[in-house]
């Protein structure tokens, strides 16, 4: 069953641009991953330090592989201390 992931990150004061650039660098390698149906990054127009990712994966196990990908591990190391908030929502689409 497909998995939808919504990730919310909020930069610590003064870290808005470095966090934004680090997040943006995730898009291309993630889109190339097996099972990635979409990986859409959004930046708040009202609060530039808030970034949301809207992702859809073919299966939860493929998303779990993504979480272990070298580019994501490097991102975690690079952005350590930049985040005030990092929340993940995992969900399955519900039909009528």
């Amino acid at each position: 069953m497909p998995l939808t992931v919504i990730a919310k990150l909020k930069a610590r004061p003064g870290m808005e641009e470095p966090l934004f650039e680090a997040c943006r660098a995730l898009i291309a390698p993630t889109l190339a991953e097996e099972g990635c149906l979409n990986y859409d990054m959004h930046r708040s127009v009202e609060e530039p330090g808030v970034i949301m990712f809207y992702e859809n994966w073919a299966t939860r196990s493929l998303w779990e592989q993504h979480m272990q990908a070298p580019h994501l591990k490097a991102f975690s190391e690079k952005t350590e201390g930049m985040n005030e908030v990092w929340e993940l929502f995992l969900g399955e689409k519900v039909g009528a």
Side-chain angles (χ1 to χ4, degrees), residues 73-93:
K73 287 187 174 209
F75 168 81
S76 293
E77 292 171 11
K78 182 178 184 175
T79 60
E80 191 172 337
M82 286 187 194
N83 298 312
E84 192 172 288
V85 173
W86 188 348
E87 300 173 348
L88 286 178
F89 167 85
L90 307 178
E92 296 174 342
K93 188 174 182 179

Side-chain angles (χ1 to χ4, degrees), residues 29-92:
T30 300
L31 287 171
E33 288 183 61
E34 179 185 359
C36 180
L37 305 175
N38 71 287
Y39 191 75
D40 301 331
M41 180 181 158
H42 303 270
R43 186 179 201 180
S44 172
V45 294
E46 296 175 338
E47 200 174 345
V50 175
I51 296 166
M52 302 278 286
F53 285 95
Y54 175 73
E55 314 168 28
N56 283 291
W57 294 85
T59 65
R60 183 176 182 146
S61 63
L62 289 170
W63 171 76
E64 289 170 349
Q65 286 178 31
H66 158 69
M67 294 302 288
Q68 299 304 315
H71 63 272
L72 204 61
K73 287 187 174 209
F75 168 81
S76 293
E77 292 171 11
K78 182 178 184 175
T79 60
E80 191 172 337
M82 286 187 194
N83 298 312
E84 192 172 288
V85 173
W86 188 348
E87 300 173 348
L88 286 178
F89 167 85
L90 307 178
E92 296 174 342

